[in-house]
Amino acid sequence: MTDPEGKPQDLERALVVDEIGIETGIYKNYRLKTAHQPIFRREGAELVPFAVEARVSPFREGSAVAPAEFFEGTPQSDRAFVEALCRALHLRNHRNVGIDEPERFELYLTIDPRYDDWDAPDSAAHSIAAFAGEAGIPAGMITCEILDAATLDAKALAALSGELRGHGMRVSIAEFRIGQSAIDRVTQIQPDVIKIDGAWFRDVQESSETAQLFPAIINAFQGFGAKLLVQGIETPAELEGALDAGADYLQGMLLSPPVLAGCA
């Protein structure tokens, strides 16, 4: 990728650090920041944050831009670079999560396989491992969510998940939907974490009949050794439904909104 003046651009040149150690990604006229949203688990009668999901928060001329708008406006030829830049940014900003010993707090990242050559020297798995080592984050504390896993070729999905595990990282798949080959994919790659999409979960909870089926779905996936993360929890009723169903991990605006790195 080149910058607007046609000069070669690499990750190191696109990452800048301020006087207190918070890093920002530079892409054209955007300033890319890291936002952390906590993930909670049950410890006795309490919900305790143990991890954060890192998301990009784009800014243009000082104003926040929706991530979807930012990515829609990014040329396809630049997407691989932007994806790599966001991952590097999040790994370097993990120290700014707002707790002592941040390396003990798990980090969730995303990989879009459309923009990753899994067996290349600069693949997502290789670059994450390199930046994690530089940042002092143990590989076993990193969970990589493979986006749109249900639409991936089975061989490619197995290869990507194998590459991630080869570096010591954990694997997550997301956005379970009825009708997709979720069971087949879970059987094939045995992910460490399965995300239950918040919108789908809300639809389930609105119907008493389907709500009764949800614990069976959780039991089935947990039988493969996966942890179930219900994301997008917005109301006390949704939280209660996820807890009653036996979800392992919980995330959503009700529990904690995303916060920019350095602000927590």
Side-chain angles (χ1 to χ4, degrees):
M1 202 199 91
T2 58
D3 63 21
E5 297 179 358
K7 299 176 182 177
Q9 188 174 12
D10 58 31
L11 293 180
E12 291 296 337
R13 289 180 55 191
L15 290 164
V16 297
V17 58
D18 66 16
E19 63 278 2
I20 60 173
I22 299 172
E23 305 227 9
T24 299
I26 309 297
Y27 171 71
K28 296 186 176 180
N29 60 336
Y30 287 94
R31 299 297 179 263
L32 307 180
K33 300 179 183 293
T34 296
H36 294 128
Q37 185 171 30
I39 299 171
F40 294 78
R41 66 186 175 201
R42 284 186 280 194
E43 292 187 7
E46 296 183 344
L47 293 179
V48 178
F50 73 98
V52 288
E53 180 180 4
R55 302 172 178 175
V56 67
S57 183
F59 285 78
R60 184 176 55 209
E61 298 178 355
S63 298
V65 176
E69 178 184 341
F70 166 69
F71 284 114
E72 287 171 4
T74 301
Q76 290 296 304
S77 58
D78 288 356
R79 277 298 299 269
F81 173 81
V82 170
E83 294 285 337
L85 174 59
C86 290
R87 290 192 297 266
L89 177 70
H90 299 332
L91 286 158
R92 288 192 169 180
N93 272 328
H94 188 56
R95 63 177 179 265
N96 298 310
V97 72
I99 64 168
D100 294 333
E101 299 183 285
E103 68 278 3
R104 298 180 61 185
F105 221 56
E106 295 182 23
L107 176 64
Y108 281 57
L109 299 172
T110 59
I111 293 178
D112 191 329
R114 294 175 298 173
Y115 308 106
D116 180 50
D117 186 359
W118 66 268
D119 60 350
D122 60 348
S123 69
H126 286 294
S127 63
I128 290 171
F131 276 104
E134 174 191 286
I137 308 170
M141 300 297 284
I142 297 173
T143 298
C144 293
E145 174 190 328
I146 303 173
L147 298 180
D148 293 325
T151 63
L152 265 187
D153 172 80
K155 184 177 179 181
L157 178 60
L160 176 54
S161 60
E163 186 71 19
L164 292 167
R165 287 200 171 99
H167 286 280
M169 292 174 272
R170 304 199 308 159
V171 175
S172 169
I173 59 175
E175 298 182 353
F176 171 72
R177 295 283 195 281
I178 288 176
Q180 292 183 346
S181 55
I183 294 291
D184 291 343
R185 297 308 171 102
V186 169
T187 303
Q188 178 187 5
I189 68 170
Q190 297 185 341
D192 302 281
V193 178
I194 300 174
K195 264 189 181 179
I196 303 296
D197 177 72
W200 183 82
F201 179 67
R202 280 190 288 278
D203 288 343
V204 167
Q205 294 304 112
E206 288 176 1
S207 167
S208 60
E209 292 182 0
T210 53
Q212 292 174 5
L213 295 175
F214 188 66
I217 293 172
I218 288 186
N219 288 335
F221 285 143
Q222 287 172 333
F224 291 106
K227 298 292 186 182
L228 268 291
L229 165 58
V230 176
Q231 66 172 166
I233 294 174
E234 297 181 353
T235 67
E238 291 170 8
L239 175 60
E240 183 178 359
L243 290 170
D244 289 346
D248 300 288
Y249 304 151
L250 307 130
Q251 183 185 26
M253 296 296 288
L254 177 70
L255 301 172
S256 178
V259 179
L260 290 178
C263 295

